């Protein structure tokens, strides 16, 4: 069950709602397309051009934002909420606190900074991968050295984002990570 929106060169969007019905809509203005989608397809529209259909409304994932800088967490929270992603957001200011949270109630996505007090993001990621291998891990950091990226790969991170966060890249990574979570939940 997947909902997609693709932009063609003619300025049309092709919608593939959960019912697998294909509809092309000429874009006149965002307000009118949002109205059409809300009324006829019960879809959500976001600036990132992603749609979550009525089959996804009740499917939410838990994301844990881990960074010692509350301003960074606020920006990430803002972007997720602005896009209306079906994510329950939990926050922690360091790796030690994040691990406590995860052990109490596992999460779907871990988004962690590398450098934090008490326990860094790489150590946290390695532990989470060992104890909760189904958790999708995204590392973000101001440090682009290969050694950090290599350690993130060893912890099975699905992605590595550099600060300052590029908004479009962040949205793309979050969307693809949610898609991986969804695939994992579909019974074989």
């Amino acid at each position: 069950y997947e909902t997609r929106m693709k932009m063609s060169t003619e300025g049309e969007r092709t919608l593939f709602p959960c019912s697998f019905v294909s509809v092309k809509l000429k874009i006149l203005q965002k307000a009118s397309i949002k109205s059409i989608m809300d009324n006829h397809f019960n879809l959500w529209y976001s600036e990132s051009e992603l749609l979550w259909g009525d089959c996804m409304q009740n499917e939410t994932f838990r994301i844990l934002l881990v960074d010692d800088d509350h301003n960074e967490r606020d920006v990430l929270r803002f972007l997720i909420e602005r896009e209306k992603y079906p994510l329950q957001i939990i926050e922690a200011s360091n790796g030690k606190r994040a691990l406590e949270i995860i052990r109490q109630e596992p999460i779907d996505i871990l988004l962690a900074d590398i450098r934090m007090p008490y326990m860094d993001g790489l150590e946290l990621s390695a532990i989470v991968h060992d104890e909760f291998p189904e958790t999708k891990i995204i590392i973000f950091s101001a440090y682009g050295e290969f050694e950090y990226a290599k350690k993130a790969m060893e912890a099975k991170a699905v992605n590595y984002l550099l600060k300052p966060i590029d908004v479009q890249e962040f949205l793309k990574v979050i969307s693809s990570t949610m898609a991986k979570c969804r695939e994992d939940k579909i019974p074989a």
Side-chain angles (χ1 to χ4, degrees):
Y1 298 104
E2 191 172 60
T3 302
R4 295 183 183 168
M5 180 192 294
K6 296 180 181 178
M7 181 66 91
S8 72
T9 56
E10 296 81 35
E12 295 178 341
R13 288 195 178 136
T14 304
L15 305 179
F16 300 96
C18 294
S19 63
F20 299 102
V21 175
S22 174
V23 179
K24 283 193 176 181
L25 298 172
K26 192 73 161 175
I27 305 239
L28 303 173
Q29 57 182 357
K30 286 183 184 177
S32 65
I33 192 166
K34 182 174 181 354
S35 173
I36 290 168
M37 290 188 292
D38 286 346
N39 293 330
H40 298 286
F41 297 107
N42 193 23
L43 298 173
W44 302 337
Y45 177 73
S46 71
E47 291 298 319
S48 65
E49 297 183 0
L50 297 171
L51 293 175
W52 300 98
D54 54 356
C55 64
M56 299 299 163
Q57 284 183 27
N58 296 323
E59 184 177 25
T60 60
F61 300 106
R62 292 170 41 89
I63 186 169
L64 178 57
L65 308 178
V66 189
D67 195 325
D68 57 328
D69 182 345
H70 70 87
N71 291 325
E72 292 281 347
R73 293 193 316 269
D74 288 347
V75 168
L76 298 175
R77 175 181 282 279
F78 169 78
L79 291 172
I80 291 168
E81 289 175 348
R82 182 190 76 181
E83 297 304 313
K84 297 182 176 138
Y85 287 135
L87 291 169
Q88 177 187 358
I89 303 168
I90 304 149
E91 297 183 25
S93 60
N94 60 65
K96 184 178 175 184
R97 178 66 186 126
L99 192 54
E100 291 170 1
I101 291 169
I102 294 168
R103 285 178 172 158
Q104 289 174 6
E105 191 170 344
I107 54 146
D108 299 296
I109 302 169
L110 171 66
L111 181 59
D113 188 17
I114 289 182
R115 293 218 175 156
M116 296 179 291
Y118 310 113
M119 180 187 296
D120 69 34
L122 293 173
E123 183 181 354
L124 171 65
S125 297
I127 294 169
V128 168
H129 172 66
D130 289 344
E131 293 183 21
F132 306 95
E134 68 283 354
T135 299
K136 307 298 180 250
I137 301 169
I138 304 169
I139 299 291
F140 66 103
S141 177
Y143 304 97
E145 289 102 23
F146 176 73
E147 193 59 34
Y148 286 123
K150 181 180 170 194
K151 287 181 181 178
M153 289 187 308
E154 289 169 0
K156 303 297 184 208
V158 295
N159 219 309
Y160 187 94
L161 295 168
L162 287 176
K163 291 181 184 180
I165 298 289
D166 174 88
V167 173
Q168 293 307 319
E169 181 67 17
F170 174 76
L171 298 176
K172 197 183 320 180
V173 166
I174 293 295
S175 296
S176 67
T177 304
M178 285 190 303
K180 288 176 186 172
C181 290
R182 192 173 310 105
E183 287 172 10
D184 288 353
K185 291 186 188 255
I186 295 173

